[in-house]
Amino acid sequence: MKTGFRFSTFMLWAGLIFIYAPMVILVIYSFNASRLVTVWGGWSVNWYIALLDNNQLISAVFRSLEIALYTAVAAVVLGTLAAFVLTRITRFKGRTLFGGLVTAPLVMPEVITGLSLLLLFVAMAQLLGWPAERGIVTIWIAHTTFCSSYVAVVVSARLRELDMSIEEAAMDLGARPWKVFLLITIPMIAPSLAAGGMMSFALSLDDLVLASFVSGPGSTTLPMEVFSQVRLGVKPEINAIASLILLVVSLFTFLVWFFTRRAEVRRRRAVQAAIEDAAANSGQPDPRRAGSPATVA
Amino acid sequence: MKTSKLKRYLPGGRQAVIGIPFLWLFLFFMLPFFIVLKISFAEADVAIPPYTDLVQFAEDKIDIALNLANYLLLGDDDLYFAAYFGSVKMAFISTLLCLLIGYPMAYAISVAKKETQTVLLLLIMMPTWTAILIRVYAWMGILSNNGLLNGFLQFIGVIDQPLQILNTNLAVYIGIVYSYLPFMILPLFANLVKHDQSLLEASSDLGSSRFNSFWKITVPLSKNGIIAGCMLVFIPVVGEFVIPELLGGPETLMIGKVLWQEFFNNRDWPVASALAVVMLAILIVPIVLFNRSQAKELEGRA
């Protein structure tokens, strides 16, 4: 029993070290005073201060944040609709095609998606005169398309776990479908909507290839800016901006963990309270009755 | 009743719910492929956009010229064949490495306590939220000739001369396995965590060795997770651009990089389109496999 367990645990820790060591090293070296990236010259925050003077970089950061925000909103809406269709509407014409369209963007190589979207935008500009120039809107469309697939996967996983009897009960009591969706389904899947939104935000902030294809002159995003500098080799300023991004992402992750944990603790307390309640009322604990408040929470 | 008449012509709620995501994905995901296919038959031209039209009106006749030169070029030049072969080989080996490293990790997470599981999953997922560019960039500093790894190896006296790792295929393998490992672990975990432990207990009660039960019960049951994980790694890696560009060297021939150069450096959009069409043709079987396993997963009958 023990040998196999030890091997997989060992692999887990080795794997985690493999994943995190390079990032830790990157952060440490961003505080290196020496301009030579590989020689340690003492601690310093010079490179962070230098970032503030880099106007080009800062405008790229804001452009990327803007696109990421729009993408997160649109991807959550589209992805949730797609997930709802896939899990709740089991029969309609073209369902297989629909499923394929939702999952294929997850794996499609970015160079193919990027090239094809650019050619679409060029063809549309020729035929319809729109988009006249490529920029934030075209990047937003590209990002929304692949992010909504990620949202659809996350949300449909949650939709499948849901107890459908609550929705059915509301329908039986005469609620219209859209009302059921807004008042019952949405609140129950809210955590996965938030998770999907954050994921889309991060994915959009992170994308280089799609943005390079569909952006126009003057709409450089942060990854494009970083890439053009990284190509020339390792630079201390890039270490600093990379560390900042890592910091933001780890903060994000910590918050996600914190909130899911709190929700879990609350849920457990609600279950506990319900069990005690039931025990006090009927004189004996009844686990079945305790189950319903837990699913609502 | 005016409203009911109006209602008949307006799409109902059901159609709208299906129609909105369907239209979006059709317009911005599927339709573009047909345009790529069309342009792959065009000729490069010095114009905006830089390709010729397939359909021309001349003397009251519609003239459709399908130009196969781009595909013939792909067949003629060994460079393209080598790039396709290099990409598939690179993707195959890295997928295998990811599976070998990722499976034990996913297994360890699936048997951990619930509380620890959430933390471990977040630790695995966090890197996927961080720019791939930054994670690859971190390796550039480590693997370079005067980088940390060479410095360390020289310090402990294993080597005298720095090893050339950056700008070789080895660096690309490291970068790919590093970047795609989470995409292997997550679907494997999602599958492994659903397994019924009583099956393993039963087999061990009947005298099966631990490895035997693992090989004959756990591995076959996790087939869908293995397929999903492998496809999530294999398909994008075939078209990978960032990692070979930053970590690879002259010996690294990958199709994503070639397509990028044809498009951005040579501005030959038709050849880039032809490259994309052939790449898609190579990937169509894995993509269909992935979609099937995903459809099962999405509908919950896995």
Side-chain angles (χ1 to χ4, degrees):
Chain A
M1 184 88 199
K2 262 184 181 162
T3 44
F5 182 72
R6 269 195 210 136
F7 171 70
S8 62
T9 317
F10 166 77
M11 282 302 283
L12 178 63
W13 289 111
L16 283 174
I17 291 171
F18 173 62
I19 288 175
Y20 280 92
M23 298 197 225
V24 174
I25 291 168
L26 180 75
V27 174
I28 293 174
Y29 268 79
S30 74
F31 292 103
N32 188 358
S34 162
R35 186 152 234 328
L36 291 167
V37 191
T38 47
V39 181
W40 184 255
W43 298 89
S44 143
V45 288
N46 281 347
W47 309 117
Y48 289 91
I49 296 166
L51 281 183
L52 295 175
D53 293 331
N54 195 336
N55 286 330
Q56 212 181 337
L57 199 66
I58 288 180
S59 75
V61 168
F62 280 105
R63 191 172 297 114
S64 279
L65 287 175
E66 195 186 341
I67 296 171
L69 185 68
Y70 299 153
T71 301
V73 174
V76 166
V77 174
L78 270 178
T80 309
L81 281 177
F84 190 80
V85 171
L86 284 174
T87 51
R88 293 289 194 268
I89 306 179
T90 42
R91 246 172 231 183
F92 62 92
K93 257 188 215 161
R95 194 174 187 287
T96 322
L97 176 67
F98 187 87
L101 280 180
V102 172
T103 49
L106 293 176
V107 288
M108 192 57 72
E110 283 171 318
V111 283
I112 297 184
T113 329
L115 176 71
S116 60
L117 264 174
L118 171 75
L119 295 179
L120 172 82
F121 289 138
V122 170
M124 277 169 75
Q126 274 181 310
L127 283 175
L128 311 169
W130 184 90
E133 57 179 30
R134 297 185 291 277
I136 288 183
V137 175
T138 48
I139 301 175
W140 167 73
I141 290 175
H143 286 178
T144 302
T145 307
F146 87 99
C147 286
S148 51
S149 293
Y150 280 89
V151 175
V153 170
V154 173
V155 173
S156 67
R158 179 84 187 114
L159 275 173
R160 258 183 288 114
E161 284 172 7
L162 276 192
D163 190 355
M164 274 178 70
S165 58
I166 301 171
E167 289 164 66
E168 280 160 9
M171 297 263 226
D172 288 346
L173 293 172
R176 310 283 309 152
W178 60 268
K179 204 169 181 185
V180 175
F181 183 72
L182 286 182
L183 292 180
I184 294 175
T185 316
I186 290 279
M188 286 200 292
I189 60 173
S192 55
L193 293 187
M198 285 197 253
M199 206 169 172
S200 310
F201 191 86
L203 285 169
S204 162
L205 211 54
D206 178 39
D207 165 71
L208 165 76
V209 176
L210 287 181
S212 299
F213 273 101
V214 300
S215 75
S219 55
T220 317
T221 61
L222 177 64
M224 288 162 75
E225 188 69 38
V226 171
F227 181 67
S228 67
Q229 303 207 21
V230 161
R231 250 182 166 167
L232 307 172
V234 179
K235 278 186 185 171
E237 293 95 338
I238 298 297
N239 281 344
I241 185 89
S243 307
L244 280 180
I245 296 175
L246 280 178
L247 179 78
V248 171
V249 171
S250 14
L251 213 66
F252 230 55
T253 319
F254 176 77
L255 285 177
V256 172
W257 173 76
F258 182 76
F259 283 117
T260 44
R261 195 187 132 93
R262 213 173 56 169
E264 181 70 17
V265 169
R266 251 195 227 146
R267 199 184 68 92
R268 249 187 242 149
R269 254 191 228 138
V271 173
Q272 194 60 41
I275 292 174
E276 277 162 16
D277 241 26
N281 286 344
S282 64
Q284 56 181 1
D286 182 355
R288 258 181 308 157
R289 275 182 59 196
S292 52
T295 29
V296 179
Chain B
M1 290 289 275
K2 255 187 185 171
T3 45
S4 67
K5 241 185 193 172
L6 194 68
K7 254 188 187 164
R8 212 182 297 157
Y9 292 108
L10 282 174
R14 187 185 141 99
Q15 278 98 321
V17 167
I18 300 175
I20 294 169
F22 195 93
L23 267 183
W24 180 287
L25 286 168
F26 178 78
L27 186 60
F28 294 121
F29 187 72
M30 202 170 152
L31 185 64
F33 290 127
F34 293 107
I35 299 177
V36 171
L37 189 64
K38 184 194 127 188
I39 294 189
S40 71
F41 290 114
E43 267 175 76
D45 197 2
V46 187
I48 297 173
Y51 50 83
T52 56
D53 244 336
L54 294 190
V55 186
Q56 271 164 349
F57 294 95
E59 298 163 12
D60 298 332
K61 276 188 294 182
I62 300 176
D63 192 19
I64 301 178
L66 283 187
N67 171 27
L68 290 172
N70 300 317
Y71 290 97
L72 294 176
L73 176 74
L74 297 195
D76 270 354
D77 200 330
D78 283 344
L79 167 92
Y80 298 111
F81 179 76
Y84 281 117
F85 184 73
S87 290
V88 171
K89 186 181 140 205
M90 185 75 73
F92 184 76
I93 295 175
S94 356
T95 307
L96 213 61
L97 289 173
C98 278
L99 184 64
L100 289 177
I101 302 171
Y103 203 104
M105 290 177 74
Y107 187 77
I109 301 173
S110 75
V111 296
K113 272 181 289 176
K114 264 272 175 296
E115 188 86 338
T116 340
Q117 239 169 41
T118 345
V119 179
L120 287 173
L121 274 182
L122 269 175
L123 280 176
I124 301 288
M125 234 145 83
M126 198 202 100
T128 64
W129 294 351
T130 319
I132 190 173
L133 199 56
I134 288 171
R135 286 179 291 145
V136 173
Y137 168 75
W139 280 103
M140 287 173 74
I142 295 171
L143 298 178
S144 71
N145 275 356
N146 45 7
L148 224 58
L149 184 66
N150 272 316
F152 176 72
L153 289 178
Q154 275 171 312
F155 176 74
I156 60 169
V158 179
I159 50 169
D160 303 324
Q161 292 291 313
L163 293 173
Q164 171 76 33
I165 305 175
L166 188 66
N167 302 332
T168 64
N169 278 344
L170 178 63
V172 182
Y173 280 122
I174 294 176
I176 291 177
V177 171
Y178 178 72
S179 308
Y180 283 90
L181 193 54
F183 295 103
M184 178 65 86
I185 295 175
L186 292 176
L188 278 177
F189 165 79
N191 181 290
L192 285 171
V193 79
K194 283 186 285 190
H195 286 192
D196 189 351
Q197 290 299 320
S198 57
L199 287 175
L200 290 179
E201 278 161 26
S203 80
S204 99
D205 285 351
L206 293 171
S208 156
S209 78
R210 227 184 111 66
F211 180 78
N212 193 40
S213 336
F214 171 78
W215 189 245
K216 295 214 168 120
I217 297 174
T218 310
V219 172
L221 275 178
S222 58
K223 195 185 104 202
N224 268 327
I226 294 176
I227 292 177
C230 287
M231 293 305 132
L232 268 175
V233 177
F234 181 83
I235 303 168
V237 169
V238 169
E240 182 59 48
F241 164 73
V242 177
I243 300 171
E245 172 73 20
L246 292 181
L247 298 178
E251 57 166 15
T252 317
L253 260 178
M254 284 184 73
I255 203 63
K257 213 172 132 184
V258 173
L259 193 153
W260 183 283
Q261 281 160 355
E262 289 292 350
F263 185 84
F264 285 101
N265 305 359
N266 301 349
R267 281 188 67 78
D268 195 334
W269 293 18
V271 166
S273 302
L275 282 170
V277 169
V278 174
M279 198 198 306
L280 208 57
I282 293 174
L283 290 178
I284 199 78
V285 172
I287 289 175
V288 169
L289 261 178
F290 172 77
N291 272 351
R292 276 228 200 111
S293 81
Q294 229 22 48
K296 276 186 199 162
E297 199 73 24
L298 281 173
E299 284 155 25
R301 46 185 174 88

